[in-house]
Amino acid sequence: GESVGLHLPTLSVQEGDNSIINCAYSNSASDYFIWYKQESGKGPQFIIDIRSNMDKRQGQRVTVLLNKTVKHLSLQIAATQPGDSAVYFCAETAQGGSEKLVFGKGTKLTVNP
Amino acid sequence: DAGVTQSPTHLIKTRGQQVTLRCSPISGHKSVSWYQQVLGQGPQFIFQYYEKEERGRGNFPDRFSARQFPNYSSELNVNALLLGDSALYLCASSYRAPGRTEAFFGQGTRLTVV
C-alpha cells in the first residue's frame, strides 16, 4: 500500500547550522509533496510544496529536494534557529486517486542554542 | 485573514457518547478534509469534501461521519465513542481539492474519551 516514512525520528542541531530532514515514499504514483511543521499543541503548518515535475524548490531559508528515482524527499533548513524546533512531516498525494494526504510519522527537530 | 478555525479546542467525553466537531475553512476555500492524529504519529486521513460532496474516505469505521454545508464549513461526527478515539482531530482547507493546491490546517480539537 501507499506509505510515507522518515529515516530518522529525531534530529538535534546547533543554532546556525543547516538541517536536513529526510523522507521516503513508496507510492510511485505520488505527484505532489508537502512539508509541514508542527509545534506542540498546534496543527501542522504548511512550509513548502513540490510537484513531481520538479526536483528542487526553494523558499525562505528552506529547500525541498525530490528524487523520484529512489522515491526520496528532503527538507533543508538553512541557518537553523531555536524557533525551528518542532516535528516535521512530509505528506504526499497522487493525482487521480483518493484526494488525501498521506503523512509519515514525523521527525522531531531540536535546535540547541 | 482568519485561518482555519476549529471548535471546540478541547473536549472530554465518556465512552459510548457521541461528539460533533466543527470546522470553518479559510474564506474562499471549497475543500475541507478531516484527519485524526494520535499522539506520536502523523495525521491519518478520515474524510475529504469538495463543493459539498464527499470526495474521499479513509479507513475508519462507520461510526465516523461528516458533512459540508453550503458555506463550506464542515462537521465531523463520531458515534459510540471508544477510548481509542482519543486524539487530535484536524481540519484542513484548500482552495481546490487537496493535492492540487496547498492544504492549510486548523489548530485541531483535542478529544479525550474516558
Side-chain angles (χ1 to χ4, degrees):
Chain A
E2 54 192 27
S3 66
V4 178
L6 290 156
H7 294 305
L8 296 173
T10 61
L11 178 64
S12 184
V13 300
Q14 291 300 121
E15 182 178 0
D17 287 351
N18 297 331
S19 302
I20 299 176
I21 300 172
N22 295 304
C23 176
Y25 65 95
S26 59
N27 184 1
S28 57
S30 295
D31 65 344
Y32 180 60
F33 305 86
I34 306 176
W35 279 100
Y36 286 95
K37 170 187 179 184
Q38 188 173 27
E39 297 173 284
S40 181
K42 297 184 178 181
Q45 175 188 355
F46 176 92
I47 301 174
I48 191 168
D49 60 355
I50 188 167
R51 300 191 184 278
S52 59
N53 61 352
M54 304 172 68
D55 54 19
K56 180 179 181 179
R57 191 166 188 219
Q58 288 183 297
Q60 188 175 14
R61 281 201 309 119
V62 295
T63 300
V64 56
L65 299 178
L66 175 63
N67 185 330
K68 294 180 288 294
T69 302
V70 295
K71 293 195 283 254
H72 183 267
L73 194 69
S74 68
L75 176 70
Q76 300 178 359
I77 304 174
T80 314
Q81 303 168 0
D84 294 327
S85 294
V87 177
Y88 289 80
F89 293 97
C90 65
E92 51 96 6
T93 188
Q95 184 176 13
S98 175
E99 294 172 351
K100 64 180 181 181
L101 293 172
V102 177
F103 285 81
K105 293 183 179 180
T107 293
K108 183 177 181 180
L109 174 66
T110 301
V111 182
N112 302 307
Chain B
D1 284 342
V4 179
T5 57
Q6 293 186 243
S7 64
T9 55
H10 296 82
L11 201 54
I12 299 175
K13 288 286 189 177
T14 304
R15 279 179 297 175
Q17 285 189 313
Q18 175 265 341
V19 68
T20 298
L21 310 181
R22 296 175 175 83
C23 172
S24 293
I26 293 171
S27 178
H29 284 194
K30 301 178 180 179
S31 174
V32 170
S33 300
W34 287 95
Y35 291 79
Q36 180 195 65
Q37 186 176 24
V38 175
L39 193 63
Q41 297 185 15
Q44 296 292 312
F45 173 76
I46 310 175
F47 284 109
Q48 196 255 321
Y49 280 80
Y50 179 62
E51 285 281 21
K52 293 158 282 185
E53 292 187 1
E54 183 182 302
R55 296 289 293 270
R57 175 183 285 254
N59 188 26
F60 280 80
D62 292 343
R63 299 184 296 107
F64 289 76
S65 63
R67 55 180 175 170
Q68 187 176 34
F69 298 99
N71 66 353
Y72 301 110
S73 67
S74 178
E75 286 182 351
L76 175 70
N77 296 285
V78 187
N79 294 322
L81 285 166
L82 303 174
L83 295 179
D85 294 331
S86 296
L88 180 67
Y89 287 86
L90 295 162
C91 173
S93 83
S94 55
Y95 178 68
R96 294 191 296 272
R100 307 307 106 209
T101 185
E102 307 94 89
F104 298 93
F105 284 83
Q107 297 286 72
T109 294
R110 172 70 63 186
L111 173 64
T112 302
V113 182
V114 297

